[in-house]
């Protein structure tokens, strides 16, 4: 099939040579070893860098590469295996004199034995299947009863999900920090620690904001952690880059958590402060070269912050995946000391097949304060349209007093936002700034709509005015504003207070850089309609406003109140056709925009998607059915 | 003016006076004594005209969620720009007690005049439901005709705000004559000045034909209705049970019948949107498409377009993503967004200049052409052509929709309308084939053969008689190696080259450069002059 082969994805575009390894579902492509082995053979690749995720910690894959004489850019299979097993890794760590969390790992006979073990360790304890990764299936127990219950769940899960009966019961560290040490080891027995990364800001055990170094570690603790990490690496004859994760309690006691035998997502911040290119180092090491640096060569230069920009709705459980097409996309790369690692571009689809991460946004500064300021600016100048994203949450975290002072733990998000994230809470002054900006933008747009160019047969009688009386609605609050203009400068009077707003007022630009009362602000205009609706992104959060003339606002009281009909929970066939596939079943949770079924009409497959994030209530069609227009397909709760 | 007021007033006072001469004499005689009272009467009449049917009826109008005729005009027009005509006109009916003073309302049941929208001239009428339910009297019709006549002479659009219970039954045939007078003017003005109807209340019976004759009909959701006969008559004639809303509400007309071009939430929303819409339109057929100040760079690249067309030709994508990406500031005023969704039409701007956009929508019924989409597209193209608005066409069409429903419905003559419209259009025509351009539908969609000025193909374009599978089944019927033949066909025809080597497309372009190209072409084509042979009028297959 000859088709125009356009390089559609950034990673493909950047590559000198590209091989398609299969369709979007990862099990058929990036997790499909056969396909990747074929690509290796086809291109005659000498080595494979497995990235992160997918096959990066898969010893089978490493073995297959080795059998073909192809270098796996990562540690050898022994280290992958040893560190991949929760229990074995802890045993090795203990032997290497690495602090481990007091606990038991192995087969627990019954609930009573679990209770006994818990008693020895001291409550609270954590119970989970030892083969389960991360925080998956983790249960916290504060007493004997909960321990029995935890044993029951975890042993069931261990048997059913992993086919491995072993359980892990260990001391549960309350309010811990997640701090990890980057190590680099070569094949000649040399190993270095490249300082720490503070990754405590997490939601559902997934990292959101990371920084290097940590505000919490003093040089002694840092060295102690670094040396233990190196000792562990040496104990497993580790080569390549790796990460040793620790939990650190409020007394700076640190405990080994696990070792990731691959490059970490958040590695750029270590690169920023050490000046080392980790991927470059991995390739050197894989080739068999010796490390060129000594421990004393590893600096901490300045401060780096990483925000994980996700296609997620942060207002739902700090982030539920959303999908869609990036109708507009602009990374803030024009700013100095900003690094954006991404694999997408304007027009890309954020699909259900991959992690919903849009990019890693890294800022760097001589000091933490500088890096944080830069992050504010970078987030404000990041243009993402078409998918819901978590910039509102990121923007709030990095300015939160607790975060700014370094007072964080892995419980930061639930503690700071116990009722869930609600977006930026406006102060009275900020509210005025926002109202004034909306009013000025409205007037600027109104004035432009009177500017007709060219020769006009019938002359224009402009309704030019220097004074406007406007009514601006925000969060059900209604404000009467007086606006006056001098060129591009607007003076907006709100409740007796004057706000000066000036800017270029480029109505086509996604970004709206303005000066409010002498302060520079980077807002974004997300929506501006003829009916006066204006949505502005301000301090990371988007706010819906409505600007009306005084007259229109006055007459609004006569407009009938309309209760919007909720059609989001019912999916009907928009056309006659046949059902090709149904991707959900009752009880499934679906994300907004997720495919529910595929209808084929006119030999064209049309993807029907969920209008909201919800649970599937009922499914009224199956593959092969013929449906008419308007037929009920699926109901959501 | 003052002089005339006095004459009318005097006549009113002494109704016995028959001749104008006498009236003038009379006037001269009592001028000194009655001057004050005349002024008072003027004020009184004006005040009465401003309150229409009175406070009670105004309150009732508001309670229905509707604004008054004057409030609507105030919102539609620039502040203080409204110049009212015929404030003193009263109905002339003397039957059924209509001649009584309390049944006379200065201005009668419609407010007319001219004003400005964003500084540009427009003629308006706004029917006043508070006066006899906005019913149409001879005087009412006469007022509307007056502004329509002037709009045509001056060359400025007419906007009608409809809110009328129908004919003034007391006036009988005079009311019917009034409708016909308006219809005639609607027809005469058609193609001369843009005419827009905004239905803001009932509009029933013969009255519906005035909006139907105008270029665009918009409706207000929940408070406006358009039907030939109401639910009661429907029940008695066909025994159908149907509500007002189902029969002729905004939803019906914007999704099922295609009578209305768009619906808005309420009066305010509708009027503000109408102001915005007005900016797209030239004042008359003598004026070029308007150009407004534009902040969007004309040479902006649109990288997202390079990846928008899926590799699999059976997979859909949203044509609106292409339209939004290419036009100024992503602003697209879609016409009939919920009717015949397999074709997308509407107004946008390119480097500030109004353009009409027509595009097949692969997301709906694969973007095929059927009866409704052909008619929808044809009417839009003809409007653009009549008013000097360049047409940009995006083509991804698998063909005309097959089936008995379509054939029996007359797809042949309806499909011909779109073909006709594109062929006769003499405005600048730019066409971009994004993917499929199959069969007769390729010819129809503003092809080179129909005098397309600039025709582009994206690299993903396939200009062919039909899809590979169908073609192979015909060419190699009964032969083996169908798959091989199909591959050969695909290589030969499922790409832009066969059209490009023949000059049927002018260039194969990188999708991301489409905006830049179109803006440049429009600059060049701005001075395009093309005429069709003289004819009394053409004969489009209606």
């Amino acid at each position: 099939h000859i088709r125009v082969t356009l390089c559609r994805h950034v990673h493909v575009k950047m590559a000198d040579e590209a091989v398609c390894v299969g369709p979007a579902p990862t099990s058929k492509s990036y997790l499909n070893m056969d396909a990747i082995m074929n690509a290796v053979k086809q291109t005659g690749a000498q080595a494979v860098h497995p990235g992160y995720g997918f096959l990066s910690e898969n010893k089978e894959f490493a073995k297959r590469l080795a059998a073909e004489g192809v270098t796996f850019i990562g540690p050898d299979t022994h280290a992958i295996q040893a560190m991949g097993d929760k229990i074995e890794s802890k045993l090795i760590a203990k032997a290497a004199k690495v602090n481990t969390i007091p606990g038991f790992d192995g087969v627990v006979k019954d609930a009573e034995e679990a209770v006994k073990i818990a008693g020895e360790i001291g409550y609270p304890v954590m119970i989970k299947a030892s083969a389960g990764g991360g925080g998956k299936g983790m249960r916290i127990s504060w007493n004997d009863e909960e321990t029995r219950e935890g044993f029951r769940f975890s042993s069931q899960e261990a048997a059913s999900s992993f086919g491995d009966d072993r359980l892990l019961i260990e001391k549960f560290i309350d309010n811990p920090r997640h701090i990890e040490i980057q190590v680099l080891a070569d094949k000649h027995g040399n190993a270095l620690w490249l300082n720490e990364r503070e990754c405590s800001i997490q939601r559902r055990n997934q990292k959101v904001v990371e920084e290097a170094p940590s505000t919490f570690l003093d040089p002694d603790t840092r060295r102690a952690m670094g040396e233990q990490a190196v000792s562990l690496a040496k104990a497993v004859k580790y080569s390549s880059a790796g990460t040793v994760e620790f939990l650190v309690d409020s007394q700076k006691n640190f405990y080994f958590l696990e070792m990731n035998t691959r490059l970490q997502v958040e590695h750029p911040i270590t690169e920023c402060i050490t000046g080392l290119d980790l991927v470059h180092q991995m390739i050197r090491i894989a080739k068999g070269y010796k490390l060129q640096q000594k421990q004393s060569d590893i600096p901490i230069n300045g401060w780096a912050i990483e925000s994980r920009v996700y296609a997620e709705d942060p207002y739902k459980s700090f982030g539920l995946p959303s999908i869609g097409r990036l109708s507009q996309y602009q990374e803030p790369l024009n700013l100095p000391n900003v690094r954006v690692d991404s694999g997408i571009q304007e027009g890309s689809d954020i699909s259900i097949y991959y992690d919903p991460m849009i990019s890693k946004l890294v800022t760097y500064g001589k000091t933490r304060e500088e890096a944080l300021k830069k992050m504010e600016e970078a987030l404000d100048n990041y243009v993402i349209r078409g998918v819901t994203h978590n910039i509102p949450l990121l923007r709030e975290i990095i300015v939160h007093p607790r975060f700014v002072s370094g007072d964080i733990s892995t419980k930061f998000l639930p503690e700071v936002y116990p009722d869930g994230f609600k977006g930026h809470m406006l102060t009275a002054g900020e509210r005025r700034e926002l109202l004034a900006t909306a009013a000025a933008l409205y007037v600027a747009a109104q004035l432009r709509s009177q500017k007709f160019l060219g020769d006009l047969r019938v002359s224009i009688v402009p309704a030019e005015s220097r004074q406007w009386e406007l009514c601006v609605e925000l969060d059900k609050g209604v404000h009467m504003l007086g606006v006056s203009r001098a060129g591009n400068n607007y003076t907006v009077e709100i409740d007796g207070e004057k706000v000066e707003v000036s800017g270029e007022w480029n109505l086509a630009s996604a970004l709206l850089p303005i000066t409010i009362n002498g302060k520079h602000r980077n807002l974004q205009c997300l929506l501006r309609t003829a009916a006066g609706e204006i949505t502005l992104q301000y301090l990371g959060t988007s706010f819906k406003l409505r600007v009306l003339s005084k007259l229109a606002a006055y007459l609004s009281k006569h407009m009938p109140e309309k209760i919007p009909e909720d059609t989001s929970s019912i999916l009907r066939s928009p056309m006659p056709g046949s059902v090709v596939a149904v991707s959900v079943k009752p009880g499934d949770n679906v994300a907004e925009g997720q495919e529910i079924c595929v209808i084929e009409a006119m030999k064209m497959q049309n993807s029907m998607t969920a209008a909201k994030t919800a649970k599937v209530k009922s499914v009224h069609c199956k593959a092969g059915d013929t449906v008419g227009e308007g037929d009920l397909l699926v109901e959501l709760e | 003016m003052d002089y005339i007021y006095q004459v009318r007033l005097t006549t009113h006072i002494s109704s016995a006076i028959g001749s104008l001469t006498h009236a003038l004499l009379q006037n001269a005689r009592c001028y000194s004594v009655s001057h004050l009272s005349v002024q008072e009467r003027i004020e009184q009449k004006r005040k009465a005209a401003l309150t229409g049917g009175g406070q009670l009826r105004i309150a009732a109008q508001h309670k229905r969620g509707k604004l008054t005729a004057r409030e609507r005009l105030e919102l539609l027009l620039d502040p203080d720009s409204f110049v009212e005509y015929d404030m003193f006109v009263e109905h002339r009916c003397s039957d059924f007690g209509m001649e009584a003073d309390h049944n006379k309302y200065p201005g009668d049941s419609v407010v007319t005049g001219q004003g400005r929208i964003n500084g540009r001239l427009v003629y308006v009428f706004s029917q006043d439901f508070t006066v006899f339910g906005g019913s149409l009297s001879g005087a009412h019709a006469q007022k509307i005709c007056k502004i329509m006549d002037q709009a045509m002479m001056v060359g400025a659009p007419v906007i009608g705000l409809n809110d009328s219970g129908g004919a003034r039954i007391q006036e009988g045939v005079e009311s019917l004559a009034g409708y016909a007078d308006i219809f005639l003017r609607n027809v005469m003005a058609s193609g001369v000045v843009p005419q827009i109807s905004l239905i803001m209340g009932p509009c029933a019976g013969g009255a519906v034909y005035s909006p139907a004759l105008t270029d665009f009909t918009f409706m207000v959701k929940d408070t406006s209705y358009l039907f030939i006969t109401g639910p009661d008559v429907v029940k008695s004639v066909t025994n159908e049970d149907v509500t007002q809303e189902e029969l002729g509400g905004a939803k019906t007309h914007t999704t099922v019948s295609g009578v209305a071009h768009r619906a808005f939430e309420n009066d305010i929303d509708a009027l503000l949107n109408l102001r915005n819409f007005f900016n797209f339109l030239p004042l008359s057929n003598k004026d070029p498409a308007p150009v407004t100040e534009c902040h969007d760079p004309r040479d902006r690249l649109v990288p997202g377009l390079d990846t928008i067309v899926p590799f699999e030709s059976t997979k859909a994508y949203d044509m609106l993503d292409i339209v939004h990406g290419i036009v100024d500031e992503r602003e697209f005023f879609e016409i009939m967004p919920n009717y015949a969704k397999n074709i997308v039409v509407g107004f946008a701007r390119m480097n500030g200049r109004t353009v009409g956009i027509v595009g097949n929508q692969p997301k709906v019924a694969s973007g095929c052409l059927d009866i409704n989409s052909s008619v929808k597209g044809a009417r839009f193209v003809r409007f653009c052509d009549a008013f000097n608005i360049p047409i940009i066409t995006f083509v991804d069409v698998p063909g005309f929709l097959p089936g008995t429903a379509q054939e029996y419905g007359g797809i042949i003559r309806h499909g011909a309308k779109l073909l006709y419209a594109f062929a006769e259009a003499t405005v600048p025509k730019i066409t971009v084939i994004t993917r499929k351009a199959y069969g007769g539908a390729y010819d129809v969609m503003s092809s080179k053969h129909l005098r397309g000025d600039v025709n582009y193909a994206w690299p993903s374009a396939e200009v062919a008689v039909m899809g590979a599978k169908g073609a192979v089944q015909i060419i190699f019927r009964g032969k083996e190696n169908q798959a091989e033949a199909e591959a050969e066909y695909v290589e030969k025809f499922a790409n832009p080259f066969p059209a490009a080597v023949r000059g049927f497309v002018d260039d194969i372009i990188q999708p991301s450069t489409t905006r830049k190209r179109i803006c440049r072409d429009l600059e060049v084509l701005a001075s395009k002059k093309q005429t069709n042979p003289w004819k009394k009028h053409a004969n489009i297959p209606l």
Side-chain angles (χ1 to χ4, degrees), chain A residues 170-225:
Chain A
E170 62 181 25
K171 176 91 180 167
F172 174 65
I173 294 152
D174 208 11
N175 261 348
R177 283 166 178 265
H178 176 120
I179 299 177
E180 60 193 27
I181 301 286
Q182 176 71 52
V183 295
L184 205 54
D186 65 18
K187 290 177 174 172
H188 306 277
N190 304 308
L192 299 169
W193 48 275
L194 306 186
N195 302 310
E196 78 281 9
R197 291 187 290 260
E198 162 77 75
C199 311
S200 297
I201 306 293
Q202 305 184 345
R203 50 118 182 76
R204 301 193 304 275
N205 294 308
Q206 282 190 308
K207 296 159 190 168
V208 181
V209 175
E210 300 109 335
E211 61 183 308
S214 164
T215 54
F216 191 58
L217 296 192
D218 52 60
D220 288 343
T221 316
R222 177 174 298 124
R223 191 182 321 109
M225 289 172 74

Side-chain angles (χ1 to χ4, degrees), chain A residues 1-9 325-328 345-348 442 446 448-463 504-509 528 530-533 546-549 551-560 562 565 574-575 601-606, chain B residues 62 65-67 71 74-75 78-79 116 118-121 154-155 221-222 265-269 272-273 276 279 283-284 286-287 290-296 302-311 313-316 321 329-330 362-363 365-366 368 398 401 435-436 459-460 462 490-491 510:
Chain A
H1 192 113
I2 307 253
R3 259 215 155 271
V4 190
T5 45
L6 296 165
C7 295
R8 300 224 158 173
H9 301 283
R325 181 176 185 270
L326 288 168
S327 55
Q328 278 177 288
Q345 57 194 344
E346 189 167 302
S348 289
Y442 171 86
Q446 289 282 312
R448 191 186 62 162
S449 63
Q450 300 171 15
K451 286 186 187 154
F452 291 89
L453 313 175
D455 294 332
L456 301 163
R457 189 180 49 83
V458 181
S459 63
I460 299 247
V461 181
E504 290 276 319
W505 307 110
N506 181 324
L507 299 169
S509 169
R528 185 165 51 78
E533 289 151 320
R546 184 153 196 221
V547 186
L548 289 174
S549 68
L551 174 72
Y554 170 75
L555 294 174
S556 285
K557 66 181 178 189
H558 300 305
M559 294 300 99
K562 294 190 185 179
E565 193 194 10
M575 71 214 119
M602 288 284 293
K603 292 180 186 164
M604 175 84 80
Q605 302 203 341
N606 299 277
Chain B
H62 285 157
K66 303 197 301 185
L67 298 179
E71 285 166 347
E74 259 191 285
L75 280 176
D78 292 345
R116 302 275 168 168
N118 288 317
R120 297 200 311 154
L121 184 63
V154 172
K221 289 181 190 169
D222 302 328
E265 286 309 313
N266 56 45
D267 280 15
I268 293 176
D269 189 42
L272 294 178
N273 272 292
N276 180 47
N279 263 22
L283 294 187
S284 75
K286 296 268 164 41
D287 298 289
V291 182
T292 55
E293 186 180 286
C294 172
H295 296 169
D296 204 350
V302 194
L305 298 185
D306 286 338
T307 57
I308 191 158
V309 178
F311 284 130
S313 66
T314 51
K315 247 196 183 164
D321 284 339
E329 298 176 22
R330 310 182 62 78
K363 238 177 76 172
S366 305
C368 70
L401 182 65
R435 189 167 63 180
K436 292 172 211 165
S460 46
E462 305 169 11
V490 164
E491 193 179 333
Q510 191 64 21

Side-chain angles (χ1 to χ4, degrees), chain B residues 126-141:
Chain B
S126 178
Q127 294 179 317
D128 187 349
F129 195 78
T130 66
V131 177
F132 297 117
S135 62
L136 189 124
S137 63
H140 178 135

Side-chain angles (χ1 to χ4, degrees), chain A residues 208-390:
Chain A
V208 181
V209 175
E210 300 109 335
E211 61 183 308
S214 164
T215 54
F216 191 58
L217 296 192
D218 52 60
D220 288 343
T221 316
R222 177 174 298 124
R223 191 182 321 109
M225 289 172 74
E227 283 169 358
Q228 288 195 8
V230 161
S231 136
L232 176 63
K234 286 184 171 166
V236 288
K237 299 204 168 54
Y238 197 86
S239 69
S240 192
T243 296
V244 181
E245 295 188 342
F246 291 99
L247 283 184
V248 184
D249 72 12
S250 54
Q251 306 308 309
K252 292 186 186 157
N253 296 314
F254 57 90
Y255 304 99
F256 170 70
L257 199 59
E258 62 180 355
M259 181 171 188
N260 293 315
T261 58
R262 54 169 164 86
L263 191 67
Q264 297 272 100
V265 168
E266 59 273 24
H267 73 275
I269 52 175
T270 298
E271 297 186 332
C272 282
I273 62 161
T274 61
L276 285 177
D277 181 331
L278 287 178
V279 176
H280 176 217
Q281 293 296 327
M282 287 172 81
I283 296 170
R284 285 189 77 254
I285 292 166
K287 178 74 183 161
Y289 292 144
K290 280 185 183 172
L291 287 171
Q292 288 173 314
Q293 294 79 11
K294 291 193 280 297
Q295 190 60 49
S296 56
D297 298 334
I298 306 302
I300 299 185
N301 283 333
W303 215 284
I305 318 268
E306 175 179 281
S307 291
R308 294 193 183 190
V309 181
Y310 280 109
E312 284 185 344
D313 183 350
Y315 297 95
K316 295 169 185 160
S317 314
F318 301 113
L320 285 186
S322 67
I323 53 178
R325 181 176 185 270
L326 288 168
S327 55
Q328 278 177 288
Y329 183 75
Q330 212 175 297
E331 292 170 351
L333 289 171
N334 54 327
L335 303 173
N337 292 335
V338 171
R339 166 175 170 175
V340 184
D341 287 13
S342 67
I344 44 106
Q345 57 194 344
E346 189 167 302
S348 289
D349 271 313
I350 304 287
S351 72
I352 52 163
Y353 299 111
Y354 308 104
D355 189 89
M357 193 190 285
I358 295 174
S359 76
K360 303 186 284 187
L361 175 63
V362 179
T363 61
Y364 174 78
K366 283 197 198 71
T367 61
R368 185 169 188 259
E369 196 190 349
E370 214 181 284
L372 283 174
K373 267 276 155 254
K374 188 58 73 181
M375 183 59 81
E376 276 182 46
E377 207 185 331
L379 287 169
D380 285 343
N381 283 286
Y382 204 144
V383 177
I384 304 171
R385 303 279 194 280
V387 294
T388 313
H389 55 78
N390 70 336

Side-chain angles (χ1 to χ4, degrees), chain A residues 21 29 31-41 55 61 64:
Chain A
V21 291
S29 51
L31 288 174
N32 180 351
M33 285 189 216
D34 292 338
I36 292 172
M37 294 309 297
N38 279 338
V40 168
K41 278 181 208 153
L55 299 174
F61 181 57
R64 285 187 65 170

